[in-house]
């Protein structure tokens, strides 16, 4: 069973509760903007949590402000903004690893939205790439809470934390659109092997 959208009151508690426990106030304009942005959306709590963390990092005193929220990119753009910041800070060979990883972690839609898919760390290592380099890039994106992993496990599964990253990061959207046919062929081959 899926969890439905949260009520405005529950959203308010999810936003203000943790901040108040830390002695931090949430500007009323910020509270209203965040509620408006996620109202009636199922599965919005992880995105809200991520955005609150980004706003928390940007605050200058004991108040979380709409200015900090806008600087983070808001609920819909915060993930893409963070992914682009990390990507821009990488060397070109690491950027190519990011492209490869993110395409492998995307299931192209056929008349539907593109979605995330899980993959083992071994599957994410391309022929020309070094396992440690791939693991280092995955680690950077995991530290930023953009990917999730269980690298301690024998198989080491990697997943995109939020599908909003697939839908909202312009660079990834361009990669997917450039390679949609190749991604679909790759997925079809995996399906026939199962």
């Amino acid at each position: 069973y899926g969890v439905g959208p949260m009520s405005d009151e529950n959203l308010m508690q999810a936003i203000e509760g943790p901040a108040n426990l830390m002695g931090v106030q949430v500007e009323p304009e910020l509270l209203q903007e965040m509620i408006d942005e996620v109202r009636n959306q199922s599965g919005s709590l992880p995105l809200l949590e991520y955005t609150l963390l980004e706003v928390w990092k940007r605050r200058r005193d004991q108040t979380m402000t709409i200015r900090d929220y806008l600087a983070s990119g808001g609920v819909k753009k915060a993930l893409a903004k963070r992914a682009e910041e990390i990507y821009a800070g990488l060397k070109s060979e690491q950027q190519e690893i990011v492209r490869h990883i993110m395409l492998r972690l995307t299931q192209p839609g056929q008349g539907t939205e593109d979605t995330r898919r899980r993959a083992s760390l071994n599957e994410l290592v391309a022929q020309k790439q070094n396992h440690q380099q791939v693991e280092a890039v995955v680690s950077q994106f995991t530290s930023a809470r953009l990917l999730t992993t269980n690298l301690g496990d024998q198989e080491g599964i990697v997943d995109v934390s939020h599908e909003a990253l697939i839908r909202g990061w312009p660079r990834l959207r361009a990669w997917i659109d450039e390679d949609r046919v190749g991604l679909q062929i790759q997925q079809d081959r995996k399906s026939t092997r199962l």
Side-chain angles (χ1 to χ4, degrees):
Y1 297 101
V3 176
M6 296 173 68
S7 70
D8 284 6
E9 185 177 318
N10 288 343
L11 287 168
M12 189 180 310
Q13 290 172 356
I15 295 167
E16 285 188 313
N20 291 340
L21 285 174
M22 300 301 294
V24 173
Q25 297 299 310
V26 178
E27 221 175 46
E29 297 84 2
L30 169 60
L31 182 62
Q32 190 59 53
E33 179 67 25
M34 292 185 89
I35 290 171
D36 289 346
E37 204 163 344
V38 299
R39 180 181 285 123
N40 299 323
Q41 293 184 32
S42 296
S44 60
L45 195 56
L47 289 174
L48 189 60
E49 176 188 14
Y50 182 88
T51 306
L52 281 168
L53 180 61
E54 291 299 308
V55 175
W56 174 268
K57 290 182 210 172
R58 285 175 169 76
R59 80 186 194 303
R60 291 187 188 91
D61 53 26
Q62 293 305 102
T63 304
M64 294 170 62
T65 67
I66 190 78
R67 182 185 65 232
D68 299 329
Y69 176 76
L70 295 173
S72 78
V75 172
K76 293 189 171 70
K77 294 182 183 172
L79 294 170
K81 186 173 183 176
R82 185 69 181 120
E84 191 62 30
E85 287 169 358
I86 294 170
Y87 180 83
L90 297 174
K91 297 176 185 169
S92 62
E93 60 271 8
Q94 292 172 311
Q95 290 178 341
E96 195 51 43
I97 291 171
V98 171
R99 182 181 194 279
H100 177 77
I101 288 171
M102 296 308 294
L103 287 174
R104 287 272 194 252
L105 294 176
T106 301
Q107 173 70 47
Q110 295 179 336
T112 60
E113 295 246 24
D114 299 329
T115 59
R116 64 188 189 192
R117 68 177 285 274
R118 302 170 82 193
S120 71
L121 186 62
N122 289 336
E123 182 184 336
L124 298 178
V125 179
Q127 292 173 349
K128 301 180 278 185
Q129 296 166 345
N130 172 315
H131 197 276
Q132 291 159 326
Q133 289 175 315
V134 173
E135 200 168 317
V137 169
V138 167
S139 180
Q140 281 190 278
F141 276 75
T142 302
S143 294
R145 300 175 68 177
L146 300 172
L147 296 178
T148 59
T149 63
N150 65 344
L151 293 182
D153 192 6
Q154 194 172 17
E155 191 154 338
I157 300 297
V158 181
D159 195 3
V160 175
S161 298
H162 311 282
E163 284 192 347
L165 181 61
I166 293 171
R167 296 181 184 124
W169 186 17
R171 183 178 302 278
L172 178 54
R173 296 291 332 139
W175 290 338
I176 293 167
D177 291 342
E178 287 169 15
D179 201 22
R180 185 166 299 280
V181 173
L183 285 170
Q184 195 57 55
I185 291 169
Q186 173 188 331
Q187 296 307 317
D188 290 345
R189 282 187 192 147
K190 285 190 184 305
S191 298
T192 57
R193 277 187 253 152
L194 296 177

